[in-house]
Amino acid sequence: MRCAALVLIVFLASCGASTPLAEVESPVSTVPQDQQTAIRGVLEQYRQAYEVGSAEALHAVYSQDLDVVLVYQGKVHQGWTSVESFLASKLEGANQVRMTFKDVSIREFGPDGAILTATRTSSIGDGAVSVTEVGALSLVLQNQEGQWMVVAEHFSYPTGRS
């Protein structure tokens, strides 16, 4: 009896071992290449506007309506007037701005929407003091009459608190 149980266990184990595992497919982006290129262009325009220290240049990437929202380190700026004011204050007095992105990912979000996520590193200074932030950036973009516009932004970074 003991021998039969042992043979059964070995048989079942060998059956399981010979079954090939299903191949895992790599994720495929659902955003067409031309749209990815356009969205990456918005990200580049965003970066350049920050680097020249121009809140006005940033206006071109945002949807300027009551629904636009920008969340920065837990503080919500709702509506274009609030977002515009935040952007101006963020760049006020800055004469040295550097910004880079890595791990950029773009995913479709409905027929006319996409979400871009990336790690953002920014350094903003006034010549005497410079503040560097490394954190997670999310941009929700909507295709509005053929133009990709930021309708929501979220940026946060670790503060060292648990």
Side-chain angles (χ1 to χ4, degrees):
M1 180 75 164
R2 187 178 226 188
C3 185
L6 185 57
V7 169
L8 180 62
I9 290 173
V10 170
F11 173 75
L12 291 174
S14 68
C15 289
S18 66
T19 304
L21 295 175
E23 194 170 309
V24 176
E25 293 184 29
S26 298
V28 177
S29 176
T30 58
V31 179
Q33 188 59 45
D34 62 329
Q35 290 181 11
Q36 282 195 40
T37 300
I39 291 167
R40 285 181 183 272
V42 172
L43 183 64
E44 179 59 16
Q45 188 177 1
Y46 173 97
R47 182 194 67 77
Q48 288 178 8
Y50 263 105
E51 287 199 352
V52 297
S54 173
E56 291 81 28
L58 278 166
H59 295 180
V61 301
Y62 289 92
S63 178
Q64 298 178 17
D65 58 30
L66 295 175
D67 295 323
V68 67
V69 64
L70 186 153
V71 179
Y72 176 81
Q73 203 61 7
K75 181 152 174 48
V76 178
H77 306 276
Q78 177 77 44
W80 176 241
T81 303
S82 180
V83 169
E84 181 181 34
S85 176
F86 170 77
L87 294 172
S89 69
K90 182 80 174 154
L91 291 170
E92 187 176 354
N95 60 15
Q96 299 171 338
V97 181
R98 294 289 172 256
M99 187 172 287
T100 60
F101 303 99
K102 66 179 186 177
D103 306 322
V104 176
S105 173
I106 301 170
R107 299 286 307 212
E108 186 174 34
F109 195 66
D112 291 320
I115 184 164
L116 179 147
T117 58
T119 300
R120 183 180 100 178
T121 301
S122 60
S123 178
I124 300 176
D126 62 5
V129 177
S130 182
V131 176
T132 300
E133 303 167 335
V134 179
L137 173 70
S138 297
L139 297 176
V140 177
L141 297 109
Q142 182 180 42
N143 191 328
Q144 299 176 351
E145 299 177 14
Q147 181 75 29
W148 286 98
M149 305 297 291
V150 174
V151 295
E153 175 180 350
H154 178 268
F155 178 72
S156 62
Y157 53 88
T159 61
R161 291 186 253 162
S162 298

